[in-house]
Amino acid sequence: MTHFAAYEELSEGQIFETDEFLVTSRDIRSFAEQYDPQPMHLDEVAAQQGPFSGVISSGWQTLCLTMRLMVDSRPFGDHPLIGVAVDSIQFKKPVVPDTRIRACAAIVSKRKSAKIGRAFVKLKVRTLNADNNEELLTQIWTVMLVLPSAS
Amino acid sequence: MTHFAAYEELSEGQIFETDEFLVTSRDIRSFAEQYDPQPMHLDEVAAQQGPFSGVISSGWQTLCLTMRLMVDSRPFGDHPLIGVAVDSIQFKKPVVPDTRIRACAAIVSKRKSAKIGRAFVKLKVRTLNADNNEELLTQIWTVMLVLPSAS
């Protein structure tokens, strides 16, 4: 894993890879009960008759797990991941129980803010099925960096 | 709360309001431990020295709680909220402990899919501080409807 030393060292196309996470039936149920209590996530029988022919994870769960994988991978070292915007979230494939997921982020662009000591980095974040590399979810993050000179 | 009877009854500008939810310190910690374990969400002392001068909720938590509020408000009655895309998520203000939030969604547009029996509705979803109506988070959802004729 590359660690962030300075804004200047970040470059377009630079790639950050995360570890993997196995999404179990229990994870899907636990998340859905709290944040997305709909039959397609909670009720096996109802889900069978729904548009996905079985239980799938909440898209928000896949997003949250992607965040966790990204945080753990520390793309910018000790610098936090401070999101200011997320664009173009596309749910490409449903996440079914026992899918192993991983994420892969690429720097799309970077720019210094008009505010001194701040910068913004855009990342294309892709959540993949770790077993076959199919795209499950893609999104664009805009992350704020607090530059060392400002601290 | 309006209940969805037919695609034809949905109209641009139609508004759906949710209940409120109080975001406690405990909620913020519990979510962050699982999905976004960064000092700005977990460590009061470190957070005081960070860009928000105190603990704030993970933006993903505010998004998930917004989903929960929307699910509970049943904007389309028995029809599920099936997200296919989310655009233009903007974190406008940090959510600090003991903020009461609510959401408000407005139909931006609707269209039938090229695939028979499917339609898409775009919603602008705003998450507000329930006490002063300040915008905390805004986003655009694209939701898929399965039309009764297809079932």
Side-chain angles (χ1 to χ4, degrees):
Chain A
M1 180 52 49
T2 310
H3 281 254
F4 174 65
Y7 173 77
E8 285 66 27
E9 290 179 24
L10 298 176
S11 59
E12 276 182 40
Q14 191 173 345
I15 285 176
F16 306 100
E17 304 273 2
T18 73
D19 282 342
E20 300 172 0
F21 182 83
L22 179 67
V23 185
T24 65
S25 287
R26 193 175 157 184
D27 295 327
I28 290 173
R29 165 167 292 277
S30 159
F31 183 94
E33 282 172 347
Q34 200 161 3
Y35 300 110
D36 191 350
Q38 301 197 83
M40 61 186 158
H41 309 309
L42 288 172
D43 180 338
E44 186 60 57
V45 175
Q48 282 292 345
Q49 292 161 354
F52 303 105
S53 307
V55 164
I56 64 168
S57 86
S58 169
W60 297 104
Q61 180 174 15
T62 314
L63 288 161
C64 289
L65 291 171
T66 299
M67 181 64 181
R68 175 61 190 259
L69 288 168
M70 286 295 295
V71 167
D72 286 351
S73 76
R74 297 168 56 82
F76 305 136
D78 288 339
H79 194 289
L81 278 171
I82 307 172
V84 294
V86 182
D87 290 283
S88 307
I89 295 176
Q90 294 186 11
F91 300 105
K92 303 260 185 176
K93 293 236 171 199
V95 175
V96 300
D98 300 320
T99 302
R100 281 197 311 138
I101 66 170
R102 67 183 183 89
C104 174
I107 294 181
V108 176
S109 62
K110 65 172 189 173
R111 68 181 176 84
K112 289 203 171 158
S113 168
K115 190 167 172 180
I116 290 172
R118 298 279 165 101
F120 298 103
V121 178
K122 266 191 207 291
L123 294 163
K124 175 159 184 177
V125 182
R126 297 159 65 226
T127 310
L128 306 169
N129 181 322
D131 292 322
N132 61 17
N133 291 323
E134 273 187 337
E135 277 187 349
L136 302 170
L137 171 65
T138 60
Q139 55 185 323
I140 307 284
W141 287 2
T142 304
V143 172
M144 185 181 79
L145 299 178
V146 180
L147 303 179
S149 56
S151 62
Chain B
M1 179 51 53
T2 309
H3 282 254
F4 174 64
Y7 173 77
E8 284 66 28
E9 290 180 22
L10 298 175
S11 59
E12 278 183 41
Q14 191 173 345
I15 286 177
F16 305 100
E17 304 274 1
T18 74
D19 281 343
E20 300 173 359
F21 183 84
L22 179 68
V23 186
T24 66
S25 287
R26 193 173 158 186
D27 295 327
I28 290 173
R29 165 166 293 278
S30 159
F31 183 95
E33 283 173 346
Q34 199 162 5
Y35 299 110
D36 190 352
Q38 301 197 84
M40 61 186 155
H41 309 309
L42 288 172
D43 180 336
E44 186 61 56
V45 175
Q48 283 292 345
Q49 293 162 355
F52 303 104
S53 305
V55 165
I56 63 167
S57 87
S58 168
W60 297 104
Q61 180 174 16
T62 314
L63 287 161
C64 289
L65 291 171
T66 300
M67 182 62 181
R68 175 63 191 257
L69 289 168
M70 285 295 293
V71 167
D72 286 351
S73 77
R74 299 169 55 81
F76 305 136
D78 288 339
H79 194 289
L81 277 172
I82 307 172
V84 294
V86 182
D87 290 283
S88 307
I89 294 176
Q90 293 187 11
F91 301 105
K92 303 261 184 174
K93 294 238 171 194
V95 174
V96 301
D98 300 321
T99 302
R100 280 197 312 138
I101 65 170
R102 65 181 182 91
C104 174
I107 295 181
V108 175
S109 62
K110 64 172 190 174
R111 67 180 175 85
K112 288 204 171 157
S113 168
K115 188 168 174 180
I116 289 173
R118 299 279 166 100
F120 297 104
V121 178
K122 266 192 207 292
L123 293 163
K124 175 157 185 178
V125 182
R126 298 159 65 226
T127 310
L128 306 169
N129 182 321
D131 292 323
N132 60 19
N133 291 324
E134 274 188 335
E135 277 187 350
L136 303 170
L137 172 65
T138 59
Q139 55 186 322
I140 307 285
W141 287 3
T142 304
V143 172
M144 185 181 78
L145 298 179
V146 180
L147 304 180
S149 57
S151 62

